Every structure is written in C-alpha cells, then in structure tokens.
Amino acid sequence: MFIFVVSFLMYLLLVWSGGGIPLIEILIALGVASVVTVAFRTWNRERAVRSGRLDPKRVVDFLHYLFGPFAVGLAKANIDVAKRVITGEIRPGIVKINPGLRTDIARTLLADSITLTPGTLTVDVDDDGTFFIHWIYVEDEDPSEEQLYGSFGDWARRLAE
Amino acid sequence: MFIFVAIFVLIGLAFNLLGAISLYRFPDVYTRLHGATKCTTFGTLFSMFAVVAYALGRLVMTGEARFGVLIIHSAIAAFVLLVTNATGAHALARAAHRSGLMPARAVVDRLEEFDEVRAKREGAQV
C-alpha cells in the first residue's frame, strides 16, 4: 500500500506542470502505481525491505546525513579529484575492508557514499560484507575505516541496521 | 538573483570539463571512472542549482506555480542522479574487474589476491 501511494504521488508530481492535472494522467498514474506495486511485491517476497524502516526519525537522520557529512564529503572529493586531474598525481590500488554491515540497504548506502566521496570507488562487495575499494591515492595498503571513509560507516549503521 | 545562475552554470561547466579531461589524463578504466562519476555528478548538481536559482527568481517575480514545480523536479532529478551515478560507476568497475581488466600502475590489488584464493578453493572442491 505504501509503495502504491508513493509511486502514484510521484507520477503525479512529475507530470504536474503548475496547472490542473487532466483525468487521463490520473488514470495512467493508477496503472503505473499498480504495476510498480505488483513488481515490488514479487521482487521483495522475503520482505527484506519494509516500510517500517521509514519511521520519521530515520527520515530526519537521513536528511541530516545527506545535507551534512555527505554533502561535505562530496565537495571535498570533487576538489580532490579535480586537483588530481590537473596534476596527474595518482597512486591507485584496490584495498579491502570489512565494516561488518549486515543488511543490504546499509551496504548499498555505504557503497554509494564511498563511490561519491574522496578518491574511492567500490568495485565489489563479498557475501560476508567485505568491501573491495579502488583508491586513487593509496595511503595505506591495509587502511582503517577512518582513513577510507571517515564517519560514513557509523552513519550507515545508524541509518539502516 | 540571475548573477547566481551565471555563477552556478560556470562552476558546473568547469567540473564537467574536468571530468572530460580526466578521461585523457588517467591511465585506466578505474581512475577514469573516478573522474567521470565524481566530477560530472558535482558539475551536474551545480547546473541544477542554476535551474533552481533561475526558477526561484522567476517565481518571486511572476508568482507562477510552474516555476515552483521546476524546483521540485530539479530536486528529484538531483537525488536520482546521486543514486544512479554511484550505482552505475560501481557496476562498471565490478564488470571491468570480473572480465580481467587489472588496474594500471596499481600499488596493491586485494581483490585479485582474493579472487585467486577463491579460484583455488573452488578448484580444490572440483
């Protein structure tokens, strides 16, 4: 039900252009939302993703993360990579680290954050949660979490476990 | 207000340009992905800030609802861009490594070592 309402509203939001919404668009929205809901149910049989995870506190935490540490990391990463593009100073390598995350959502969140922040790119994630990360300037061949991605590991644990 | 639009467009252009240059400067697919994902994400985000600044300016001037909608649409696009760009880069890097493309000038490659161990273990079982 939650997925249905969200995809219905999202479709209407995307077709809305400031005026009224014609009836035909509402019918299309109903159709699209039904298809998405059925597809989601089929894919999510074991109910690994539940809307219960979306309580308001988590949403606020997530927004705090997105506009706080994540935005700062994103800006720093870009200035860093831009500098390396100009100077050509690189020391690439693939390092591994196991932050001990159990849920898929936490792993996805961390992998995405790693990819978008200072000089790191997630190449592969093993079944037991070991991350293989391509690092554009290897400072340490066996790095700590702190060196690689700062506080993102704690944030992923707090937001999605 | 519209001076901000110009500033944002210029910053966005600069980062997108650096992303394009990185394709020439870096030696292999992984380092190029760094440039191609980070710089273009950031550059495109700034282009979206420019759209938001423009729409905000027009919204204040004319009060037409369609400029408000433009802001909402830009925000959705920015969020989707952040998620899909990172995921796409990860998929490309993973596919590259699986098809045996090793990082150039690498000082360390833990994934290759890991793959060898895994291959040996599976070989022993067969």
Side-chain angles (χ1 to χ4, degrees):
Chain A
M1 197 61 213
F2 176 76
I3 297 288
F4 184 82
V5 172
V6 167
S7 40
F8 178 73
L9 290 179
M10 187 59 103
Y11 184 85
L12 290 186
L13 195 60
L14 286 175
V15 296
W16 183 46
S17 52
I21 295 172
L23 185 66
I24 182 75
E25 292 290 7
I26 293 177
L27 291 178
I28 295 174
L30 282 175
V32 170
S34 312
V35 170
V36 170
T37 310
V38 171
F40 183 76
R41 280 278 162 85
T42 320
W43 169 74
N44 189 28
R45 263 190 213 293
E46 286 125 40
R47 302 187 69 73
V49 182
R50 291 184 311 250
S51 55
R53 295 189 180 282
L54 282 169
D55 68 61
K57 200 183 152 294
R58 272 183 202 269
V59 174
V60 171
D61 270 356
F62 180 72
L63 289 176
H64 176 201
Y65 171 66
L66 195 64
F67 289 102
F70 182 74
V72 173
L74 188 64
K76 271 201 300 209
N78 280 284
I79 292 161
D80 184 67
V81 172
K83 227 164 45 194
R84 296 199 189 290
V85 172
I86 296 165
T87 61
E89 181 193 345
I90 53 171
R91 191 167 180 266
I94 296 179
V95 294
K96 77 172 176 184
I97 191 163
N98 191 341
L101 296 172
R102 281 166 292 116
T103 63
D104 282 349
I105 296 184
R107 286 176 187 172
T108 311
L109 189 66
L110 183 61
D112 267 8
S113 302
I114 285 172
T115 298
L116 285 172
T117 48
T120 46
L121 178 78
T122 314
V123 178
D124 208 345
V125 181
D126 194 24
D127 290 335
D128 63 2
T130 308
F131 282 62
F132 294 92
I133 296 165
H134 184 270
W135 205 357
I136 202 165
Y137 195 85
V138 178
E139 291 163 13
D140 187 341
E141 297 191 5
D142 295 292
S144 63
E145 288 192 41
E146 185 60 38
Q147 280 177 304
L148 254 181
Y149 45 76
S151 61
F152 291 151
D154 295 329
W155 275 98
R157 265 186 281 276
R158 186 170 146 196
L159 287 170
E161 289 230 317
Chain B
M1 194 72 208
F2 292 109
I3 188 80
F4 287 109
V5 179
I7 292 171
F8 285 146
V9 166
L10 282 178
I11 296 176
L13 264 178
F15 274 101
N16 274 330
L17 182 68
L18 280 173
I21 293 173
S22 76
L23 294 181
Y24 283 99
R25 294 278 292 169
F26 286 159
D28 70 336
V29 63
Y30 303 98
T31 41
R32 282 175 185 168
L33 273 174
H34 278 287
T37 55
K38 289 189 187 86
C39 291
T40 52
T41 312
F42 206 54
T44 312
L45 269 185
F46 269 98
S47 311
M48 279 168 189
F49 287 156
V51 173
V52 170
Y54 171 79
L56 210 61
R58 293 296 298 266
L59 184 68
V60 172
M61 279 193 318
T62 62
E64 284 179 48
R66 65 194 171 99
F67 293 113
V69 175
L70 200 56
I71 295 175
I72 299 172
H73 285 181
S74 310
I76 296 173
F79 182 74
V80 171
L81 181 82
L82 279 180
V83 175
T84 53
N85 216 332
T87 313
H90 159 66
L92 281 173
R94 183 184 156 110
H97 208 284
R98 294 231 160 160
S99 42
L101 213 62
M102 293 303 137
R105 285 158 53 185
V107 291
V108 59
D109 189 348
R110 297 276 182 231
L111 183 55
E112 194 186 356
E113 294 161 17
F114 176 77
D115 278 343
E116 277 165 15
V117 171
R118 185 161 60 183
K120 260 184 211 147
R121 201 171 59 208
E122 280 163 10
Q125 280 171 357
V126 176

